[in-house]
Amino acid sequence: MFYGTDLTSRLMLGTAQYPSPRVLRDAIAASGAEVITVSLRREGPEGGAFRDILAASGCRVLPNTAGCHTAREAITTAQMARELFGTRWIKLEVIGHADTLQPDPFGLVEAARTLCADGFEVFPYTTEDLVVADRLVEAGCQVLMPWGAPIGSGQGLRHIDALRAMRAHFPGVALVVDAGIGAPSQAALAMELGYDAVLLNTAVARSLDPVAMARAFGQAVAAGQGAHKAGLMPPRDMGVASTPVFGMAELA
């Protein structure tokens, strides 16, 4: 549940870097995603054709503040996105490091507090830091989006124990792994940890066949979610026979 909105698909798909508008359109359809993200800088005020693709997809648009390096930049961008897209949803990014694209925790919390007070429903891109996460929840965020790894790196879930701890620490908060996912298996793992969704872009858009890859990610997210709900087998220190001992023949 994301700010009162329940989704069938737990894959959120980015819309940048695709080789053509047709491939973007087909990839969205193949993924089964119900939420697509778009940067205001990517869309632009004259992006009518691109906006048509978004509208035709039937997906809910989650604007983001990609490329913002200060709280003030992010707040202004979010306000413009609300006016352009007619939504209170905003994926909040305040980048603090140019190489790793790690979020700036101070600017992020400042911007989140201002936007939540202004009626936005904020999806903050953050790290696995529990202190920062607590501050974001206190600011009014009902969703947290910790990274799996740096944006576009394809490294997957670098700190699984930290992500698992975040899930345990925030049982009532919607959690989305955002950034660093490079393979469907990594997306499935995030869902097996109990996360509510996965957001990715580059792994689909820059693949050899974005449509096929989008479909694979949609299937992986569904499989991981199903496995979590079914109850994963806990690891054991020793082997345990699957064949019952009782009733076995006694051979002389």
Side-chain angles (χ1 to χ4, degrees):
M1 186 77 69
F2 302 96
Y3 292 103
T5 299
D6 200 9
L7 302 172
T8 301
S9 170
R10 299 308 177 94
L11 174 63
M12 299 180 176
L13 195 64
T15 55
Q17 305 183 64
Y18 288 83
S20 72
R22 179 188 61 79
V23 172
L24 169 60
R25 180 197 64 209
D26 293 348
I28 294 172
S31 73
E34 295 175 65
V35 175
I36 50 179
T37 65
V38 57
S39 167
L40 183 64
R41 301 179 186 202
R42 164 72 176 86
E43 207 281 336
E46 302 299 325
F50 180 67
R51 204 177 309 161
D52 289 343
I53 295 176
L54 304 183
S57 72
C59 295
R60 182 155 187 162
V61 174
L62 174 61
N64 66 49
T65 63
C68 293
H69 291 262
T70 67
R72 176 47 52 193
E73 280 185 323
I75 292 166
T76 301
T77 301
Q79 292 167 339
M80 294 171 63
R82 179 171 59 182
E83 181 175 343
L84 181 62
F85 294 104
T87 179
R88 292 188 295 168
W89 278 19
I90 190 71
K91 180 192 169 191
L92 178 61
E93 297 184 29
V94 182
I95 300 301
H97 194 280
D99 292 331
T100 65
L101 302 181
Q102 180 172 332
D104 172 3
F106 308 103
L108 182 65
V109 172
E110 178 187 346
R113 185 176 293 115
T114 299
L115 292 173
C116 287
D118 192 27
F120 281 89
E121 295 174 338
V122 179
F123 294 66
Y125 161 63
T126 183
T127 65
E128 319 91 335
D129 190 298
L130 296 183
V131 177
V132 176
D134 271 325
R135 297 295 183 271
L136 290 168
V137 171
E138 290 171 3
C141 299
Q142 298 179 25
V143 179
L144 297 172
M145 304 183 78
W147 66 352
I151 295 172
S153 69
Q155 296 177 19
L157 310 185
R158 293 198 305 176
H159 304 296
I160 295 177
D161 288 343
L163 290 170
R164 186 180 287 112
M166 178 173 274
R167 178 70 284 176
H169 190 73
F170 296 101
V173 176
L175 299 181
V176 181
V177 171
D178 174 20
I181 297 292
S185 57
Q186 298 165 357
L189 176 57
M191 300 304 294
E192 289 173 1
L193 292 177
Y195 276 68
D196 297 281
V198 168
L199 194 157
L200 55 95
N201 188 164
T202 306
V204 169
R206 305 297 291 176
S207 66
L208 295 177
D209 187 339
V211 177
M213 187 62 77
R215 183 178 298 109
F217 268 106
Q219 294 167 342
V221 168
Q225 182 184 19
H228 176 73
K229 286 184 175 180
L232 291 165
M233 174 182 173
R236 295 165 173 165
D237 292 333
M238 300 180 65
V240 179
S242 58
T243 302
V245 176
F246 296 104
M248 292 182 64
E250 294 185 11
L251 304 177

